[in-house]
Amino acid sequence: MEEFSTLLVAHGEAEESEVYGALKGFRGVDDDEVEHGSEEHTEGNKALLALLEVEDVGSEEWDERLEDLAKAVSHHVDEEERTILNGARENVSDERRAELGDAFQGERARQLESDCGRLENVRKLVHR
Ligand SMILES: [Fe+2]
Ligand SMILES: [Fe+2]
């Protein structure tokens, strides 16, 4: 669970800080879709926090929250791919996309290193 938490948070944080803002400047990338993606990162973090806060791992409550989280994440990943990232592929130059990809990977690595999926950090992100 810890590993999943870390990967999920690193994904959202790296996109928010390095990719989403940059993509908003491009025609052909729908700003509302980017906004929606941000909201879904927040929803994902909330669902993650709700799961991490269940004390009894494997309980019925834990199962339900895991399912909520899985749904939220798979919806986001699918929609992000079809809307934001496809928009970027069609409208942003290869060179600029490569730059954004590098910036994303760099921030993602920093997040992973800082153990971004730990409970206190997820709490902080949800309440910011
Ligand atoms: Fe995302
Ligand atoms: Fe959505």
Side-chain angles (χ1 to χ4, degrees):
M1 198 59 234
E2 257 176 62
E3 196 183 356
F4 177 80
S5 177
T6 301
L7 292 172
L8 181 65
V9 170
H11 155 95
E13 288 304 292
E15 283 186 343
E16 297 280 335
S17 69
E18 305 298 333
V19 182
Y20 275 16
L23 289 182
K24 274 189 175 177
F26 285 93
R27 252 179 293 162
V29 177
D30 187 336
D31 287 3
D32 292 340
E33 296 290 3
V34 178
E35 230 9 87
H36 185 71
S38 277
E39 283 159 15
E40 288 186 351
H41 289 156
T42 304
E43 291 310 310
N45 287 341
K46 281 185 189 162
L48 174 63
L49 180 60
L51 176 65
L52 294 175
E53 284 180 336
V54 179
E55 271 168 34
D56 189 1
V57 173
S59 64
E60 207 171 303
E61 189 187 14
W62 187 85
D63 269 355
E64 281 168 20
R65 292 186 181 188
L66 178 62
E67 204 178 309
D68 290 344
L69 174 62
K71 268 189 211 153
V73 171
S74 70
H75 169 87
H76 170 70
V77 169
D78 173 63
E79 186 170 53
E80 175 170 77
E81 192 59 39
R82 284 184 294 100
T83 60
I84 303 172
L85 299 180
N86 262 337
R89 268 179 218 110
E90 287 162 14
N91 297 285
V92 179
S93 71
D94 290 352
E95 196 187 358
R96 188 72 182 110
R97 275 193 291 120
E99 280 173 14
L100 292 175
D102 287 347
F104 170 82
Q105 291 299 343
E107 179 57 24
R108 185 173 175 280
R110 276 188 292 280
Q111 290 286 336
L112 295 177
E113 228 162 86
S114 76
D115 197 14
C116 60
R118 65 194 190 283
L119 180 60
E120 316 87 82
N121 193 52
V122 177
R123 252 185 211 136
K124 197 182 85 192
L125 296 176
V126 166
H127 297 297
R128 78 181 158 194

